[in-house]
Amino acid sequence: MANNTIAVLRQMLASLDDAKKYQSLRDVMSTMNAPDLAAVFEDLPEEKMPVLFRLCPKDLAADVFAELSPETQEALIRGLTDRELKSVVEELCVDDATDLVEEMPASVVKRILAQAEPDTRKMINELLKYPEDSAGGVMTTEFMELAPDWTVRSAMDAIRQNGIDKETINNCYVTRKDRTLVGVVSLRALVLEKNEQRPVEELSVVTSTDREDAAQLIEKYGYLALPVVDKENRLVGILTVDDAISILQDEASEDIAKMNAMTPSDKPYFKQSMRDVYKSRIPWLLFLMLSATFSSLVIRGYESALAAVTVLTAYIPMLTDAGGNAGSQSTSTIIRSMAVGDITPHDLPRIIWRECRVALMCGVTLAVCNFFKMLLLDRIAAPVALVVCVTLIFTVLLSQLIGVLLPVIAEKFKIDPAVMASPLITTIVDTTTLLIYFNVAKMVLHI
């Protein structure tokens, strides 16, 4: 249904210069939600953006703006008057306004801050002080505070009076005069409490901050918002569930990029220039190419063995691929488990024992199947087939062991485990596989 509405809106925009049916456009837009409207803006020519934005219902315009990519936001700002920009900035949640300021060029930031109210400008500057990867860097300061000695009735009165300007009122935060956090009370608890004279402190519960950890707390416990406190336990903001979802998506995208040997980018694919894509890929490609030199050195060192039994060369790709795949599977599993908190570096002995048993089962299964395949289909002599299959077992075992150790060691030393993923594992495994292969061949075939 939403896709049909988007298609209709795009058709109307295509004929806007001829028809100029602004009221019809406004009627269609009023039925849409912010993410769908933002998708329409992303495809618009820059000159049409301000026209469509002015037709957005006022209560929807800021939500649409917050959903746009930084590049589209910048293009739209260029077409807005100072008065229109002021209206947008004031309607944005403070955390969204802060994100906007962080993403924009200096000239645009200067214009944005010039249109913001002094209080808004002060809150934006406060949030900019926090590191980008901290909970403080993504929190909002627009939350509902209650005093511990307020009654349920006075708390409800305060929510009715001030809640309209807050990002969420589902959870309210009980704080003392010095803003020390006492606890959290849900709106549900206040509404269902029969004793209107009961102090809100009796209904509150305390919850306890890297931004990814905070986002995972929201995901794990189903919170709609999480309080962010400073070192003195003073409440400075809240992290809401929509921000948590964005954080987890960003972290997942970053990990995927690193696991595939690319520099992470926060831009959509088609918003990246070819130069950006090139710069994100070439450093790792150069590193991996140069690191493959070790494999070449191993092969050169065993040229005499290869010359004696040339058929060994044919099975090098199969062995290195099997080792790389086994290592990648193990690494991906470990990185994912650490990301969601299932395992920690302290679990390393248990992890190694478990992965070694799995590796032996996988390696033996592959070796048995490959042995009969080499004898029956490839018509290879049994001693050569034995060399390949024994190597296969050791390769899978060693690959999965390396695949476990590297991410856990990286986590222990505060390095992103994703850096230790597939491409790097494959490079290391290729070299070790060749060493195992040629040494087994020398022992079994006496070459």
Side-chain angles (χ1 to χ4, degrees):
M1 187 68 178
N3 290 335
N4 292 336
T5 308
I6 292 173
V8 169
L9 183 57
R10 284 174 173 156
Q11 289 175 359
M12 295 177 71
L13 285 166
S15 59
L16 179 62
D17 294 333
D18 301 324
K20 296 191 185 303
K21 295 181 179 178
Y22 294 135
Q23 186 56 50
S24 299
L25 274 171
R26 186 179 286 109
D27 291 342
V28 173
M29 291 166 63
S30 65
T31 65
M32 299 175 66
N33 55 43
D36 289 337
L37 264 176
V40 175
F41 273 90
E42 296 291 349
D43 296 336
L44 278 181
E46 185 174 332
E47 64 272 10
K48 285 191 176 182
M49 288 183 191
V51 177
L52 186 63
F53 193 76
R54 291 177 186 121
L55 295 174
C56 277
K58 187 176 180 181
D59 58 343
L60 184 62
D63 292 337
V64 172
F65 189 88
E67 294 285 342
L68 299 175
S69 66
E71 293 77 17
T72 306
Q73 287 177 335
E74 184 180 350
L76 178 56
I77 287 172
R78 285 196 291 266
L80 296 179
T81 65
D82 287 345
R83 184 176 178 181
E84 289 168 335
L85 181 57
K86 180 181 179 68
S87 176
V88 171
V89 173
E90 289 305 314
E91 287 294 325
L92 284 174
C93 295
V94 176
D95 56 331
D96 291 329
T98 305
D99 291 340
L100 176 64
V101 169
E102 287 181 322
E103 297 286 353
M104 294 298 109
S107 58
V108 178
V109 170
K110 185 176 180 181
R111 189 178 167 210
I112 292 169
L113 293 178
Q115 303 308 316
E117 293 290 341
D119 289 345
T120 303
R121 190 159 55 244
K122 182 180 178 181
M123 286 189 286
I124 290 173
N125 289 330
E126 282 294 321
L127 290 180
L128 288 173
K129 294 177 183 177
Y130 294 96
E132 186 179 353
D133 60 350
S134 69
V138 291
M139 70 182 179
T140 180
T141 55
E142 296 169 314
F143 52 87
M144 191 69 215
E145 284 186 271
L146 305 176
D149 56 349
W150 284 3
T151 64
V152 170
R153 172 179 286 184
S154 57
M156 291 299 294
D157 289 341
I159 292 171
R160 292 188 189 98
Q161 183 176 352
N162 303 311
I164 190 68
D165 298 322
K166 308 304 179 185
E167 179 150 334
T168 178
I169 58 171
N170 291 316
N171 289 322
C172 302
Y173 301 90
V174 183
T175 58
R176 298 191 177 95
K177 289 182 179 180
D178 61 356
R179 303 201 75 180
T180 302
L181 179 64
V182 175
V184 182
V185 60
S186 68
L187 181 62
R188 181 176 185 271
L190 292 172
V191 171
L192 296 180
E193 176 56 45
K194 295 179 180 179
N195 181 7
E196 293 187 342
Q197 299 306 313
R198 187 176 182 183
V200 294
E201 184 176 9
E202 295 182 9
L203 296 174
S204 66
V205 293
V206 176
T207 65
S208 315
T209 34
D210 185 283
R211 67 174 199 171
E212 187 176 3
D213 294 335
Q216 287 173 351
L217 280 174
I218 288 178
E219 179 189 39
K220 182 176 182 179
Y221 295 109
Y223 297 142
L224 295 177
L226 196 69
V228 181
V229 298
D230 62 15
K231 293 179 180 178
E232 284 75 39
N233 200 42
R234 291 189 300 247
L235 184 63
V236 292
I238 61 172
L239 179 66
T240 54
V241 65
D242 57 324
D243 291 324
I245 292 171
S246 297
I247 291 167
L248 293 175
Q249 288 177 337
D250 291 345
E251 294 292 338
S253 299
E254 181 179 319
D255 287 347
I256 289 170
K258 289 179 178 178
M259 289 174 70
N260 289 281
M262 294 188 296
T263 303
S265 173
D266 57 359
K267 295 180 181 179
Y269 178 77
F270 286 110
K271 296 291 184 180
Q272 298 180 60
S273 67
M274 290 180 63
R275 180 181 175 84
D276 290 336
V277 177
Y278 165 79
K279 288 169 65 178
S280 73
R281 297 181 185 180
I282 196 62
W284 268 104
L285 288 176
L286 284 171
F287 170 76
L288 294 173
M289 181 188 71
L290 294 173
S291 63
T293 304
F294 294 108
S295 299
S296 302
L297 292 174
V298 172
I299 292 175
R300 286 184 190 177
Y302 289 90
E303 281 181 345
S304 58
L306 287 173
V309 187
T310 55
V311 72
L312 291 174
T313 308
Y315 293 96
I316 290 176
M318 184 271 292
L319 290 170
T320 55
D321 285 351
N325 291 335
S328 297
Q329 286 180 338
S330 182
T331 303
S332 300
T333 303
I334 297 303
I335 290 175
R336 168 62 182 167
S337 298
M338 287 194 297
V340 299
D342 286 345
I343 61 175
T344 67
H346 298 293
D347 297 317
L348 184 58
R350 291 176 58 200
I351 298 169
I352 290 175
W353 173 234
R354 181 185 179 89
E355 286 292 323
C356 283
R357 287 180 292 168
V358 172
L360 280 173
M361 289 189 289
C362 291
V364 169
T365 302
L366 291 174
V368 170
C369 294
N370 190 58
F371 186 79
F372 286 108
K373 175 253 184 188
M374 292 180 71
L375 292 180
L376 300 176
L377 299 180
D378 299 346
R379 305 292 182 181
I380 298 297
V384 175
L386 182 63
V387 168
V388 174
C389 294
V390 169
T391 302
L392 191 57
I393 294 173
F394 282 107
T395 294
V396 172
L397 178 61
L398 184 63
S399 300
Q400 292 197 199
L401 189 59
I402 293 172
V404 167
L405 286 173
L406 287 183
V408 175
I409 291 171
E411 178 75 12
K412 184 72 175 177
F413 288 96
K414 307 299 181 184
I415 301 171
D416 191 339
V419 175
M420 302 296 182
S422 303
L424 188 58
I425 293 291
T426 301
T427 302
I428 295 172
V429 166
D430 285 352
T431 303
T432 54
T433 296
L434 291 173
L435 287 170
I436 295 170
Y437 189 32
F438 294 131
N439 280 288
V440 170
K442 288 179 71 175
M443 288 187 291
V444 175
L445 303 178
H446 306 290
I447 52 177

